[in-house]
Amino acid sequence: LRDGFGSDFVAVAPPKATDAEVPWREPGYASLTGALVFEGSALDQVLATRQVRLLVRDPYRDDTVTVGGRVVPLGANFTAAYGVWLARSGFASQSIRSLLGREGGIRTPRVLLMQPYDPDRLTVVMLHGLASSPEAWINVANEVMGDEELRRNYQVWEVYYPTNAPVAINLANIRKALDATLHHYDPTGTARASRDMTLIGHSMGGVIARLLVSSSGDKLWDLIPLRPNLPAAKRARFRARLSRYLQFTPMPQVDRAVFLASPHRGTPYAQHRIARWVGNLIRLPVNVLKEVASLSDLMKGEGSGAPTPLRIPNSIDNLSDADPFIVAA
């Protein structure tokens, strides 16, 4: 909050259809400060006037307002819009449906802007963990937007992604979503918002955040059981299809990454009975299953015998300290 002149409001944009192929989501809510200003410079003039002006100001851009020839502080509630957005989001139930692969969950990552894009403020990107959603960042985002120094210098983006998908697939899709969002808002890549970005990841989101700033080299290819007699053409096509998941370089826009309770080396708790019970309830996304089936067909070599089947772990499998991808990564 900021004490000052005016009343605090939340402006709500009318609903509009969003292109499902577009990963970014602009905020549909904005914190505003409004005031009624009456004509006249003395009390009797104000009481006698029949004219009034409605002033509406963006508290993120304006610190003061001129009333009666005097400059006075502009009041503000910087996180009211964030609170209304969260209250209407339905994230709590949707994140569980996403984890279990049920109807009503999300299937691809989204980049949610907490405020209208500002090219002159640095960008903080937050990635939640398993079975979670942007609600995980309520306290952190609230403090960033509520602190004057941070608010002047930073804007918050929150990545919302389906936590039933394997880490490698979420990594590739989140990288693609962030790249598309940056290009949309800053095609030339010259804005301050596109440089010196900060990633903050919690739990599985921290594992993904670390891989977003890592180089894989060729170290992950040994995870794929290719048949020795696989024709060279099929081998090349197979490698081209999998390269987006197994070969990556750091995001050049990112300057700093923060990991909160992130099991970079996996955790034995992912193999405990309750974790395994929950893991058995998870359904992989349909697009992942289709991709696996297509790759399995591509792996078929010449001659008799079936190829070694591709085993695609779900997100809980990926958090195990014995998971081959986690060990290799």
Side-chain angles (χ1 to χ4, degrees):
L1 293 172
R2 182 174 65 202
D3 291 333
F5 187 79
S7 298
D8 308 326
F9 294 93
V10 174
V12 181
K16 64 178 181 179
T18 303
D19 186 350
E21 300 300 318
V22 170
W24 59 85
R25 297 291 186 273
E26 296 178 339
Y29 306 90
S31 294
L32 298 175
T33 302
L36 296 178
V37 179
F38 298 88
E39 299 298 328
S41 57
L43 178 59
D44 56 343
Q45 295 173 341
V46 170
L47 293 177
T49 186
R50 294 295 183 268
Q51 302 295 322
V52 63
R53 290 184 296 123
L54 172 63
L55 294 182
V56 179
R57 294 290 184 267
D58 179 355
Y60 278 95
R61 299 182 182 276
D62 297 323
D63 297 331
T64 61
V65 62
T66 301
V67 180
R70 298 181 61 182
V71 177
V72 296
L74 181 70
N77 185 328
F78 294 99
T79 58
Y82 181 59
V84 174
W85 173 73
L86 282 172
R88 298 184 179 184
S89 67
F91 286 141
S93 58
Q94 188 181 50
S95 62
I96 297 300
R97 292 197 297 271
S98 297
L99 173 66
L100 300 178
R102 301 302 194 264
E103 191 69 28
I106 62 170
R107 298 180 181 179
T108 57
R110 302 171 184 172
V111 181
L112 310 178
L113 278 66
M114 297 296 97
Q115 309 95 23
Y117 174 76
D118 186 341
D120 298 321
R121 282 189 290 163
L122 296 168
T123 304
V124 177
V125 179
M126 300 180 178
L127 296 94
H128 60 78
L130 180 72
S132 190
S133 74
E135 284 188 329
W137 300 111
I138 289 176
N139 292 333
V140 178
N142 200 54
E143 290 296 330
V144 172
M145 291 187 287
D147 182 275
E148 183 175 359
E149 188 67 22
L150 294 177
R151 185 173 61 247
R152 288 179 181 276
N153 287 283
Y154 293 94
Q155 58 193 329
V156 176
W157 295 2
E158 296 188 5
V159 175
Y160 185 28
Y161 63 97
T163 61
N164 59 334
V167 168
I169 291 176
N170 268 327
L171 169 66
N173 290 340
I174 288 171
R175 174 68 179 265
K176 181 180 178 182
L178 286 171
D179 286 345
T181 303
L182 287 165
H183 180 73
H184 171 74
Y185 288 104
D186 181 24
T188 63
T190 57
R192 187 180 185 223
S194 300
R195 304 191 303 270
D196 301 324
M197 294 172 62
T198 299
L199 299 182
I200 303 179
H202 171 246
S203 187
M204 188 168 71
V207 174
I208 295 172
R210 184 182 69 82
L211 296 178
L212 286 170
V213 295
S214 300
S215 294
S216 64
D218 290 326
K219 294 183 178 180
L220 301 179
W221 286 104
D222 292 339
L223 299 174
I224 306 302
L226 287 179
R227 287 180 57 143
N229 63 343
L230 192 68
K234 278 193 173 183
R235 188 180 295 269
R237 294 208 308 273
F238 188 85
R239 188 176 181 92
R241 290 273 296 277
L242 274 182
S243 60
R244 70 183 295 257
Y245 304 118
L246 298 181
Q247 206 153 24
F248 43 83
T249 56
M251 287 187 66
Q253 301 92 342
V254 175
D255 176 66
R256 177 178 302 169
V258 181
F259 315 121
L260 307 175
S262 300
H264 298 300
R265 296 180 181 272
T267 170
Y269 292 105
Q271 294 298 321
H272 284 195
R273 182 166 51 187
I274 294 179
R276 295 312 317 145
W277 178 76
V278 174
N280 290 333
L281 297 177
I282 294 177
R283 296 178 185 171
L284 289 171
V286 173
N287 58 323
V288 173
L289 296 175
K290 289 181 178 178
E291 178 81 349
V292 172
S294 176
L295 290 170
S296 295
D297 289 341
L298 198 58
M299 288 174 65
K300 293 177 181 177
E302 306 298 333
S304 60
T308 303
L310 276 177
R311 178 189 174 275
I312 302 300
N314 61 38
S315 50
I316 290 184
D317 295 329
N318 263 165
L319 294 182
S320 167
D321 57 355
D323 179 72
F325 179 86
I326 286 293
V327 172

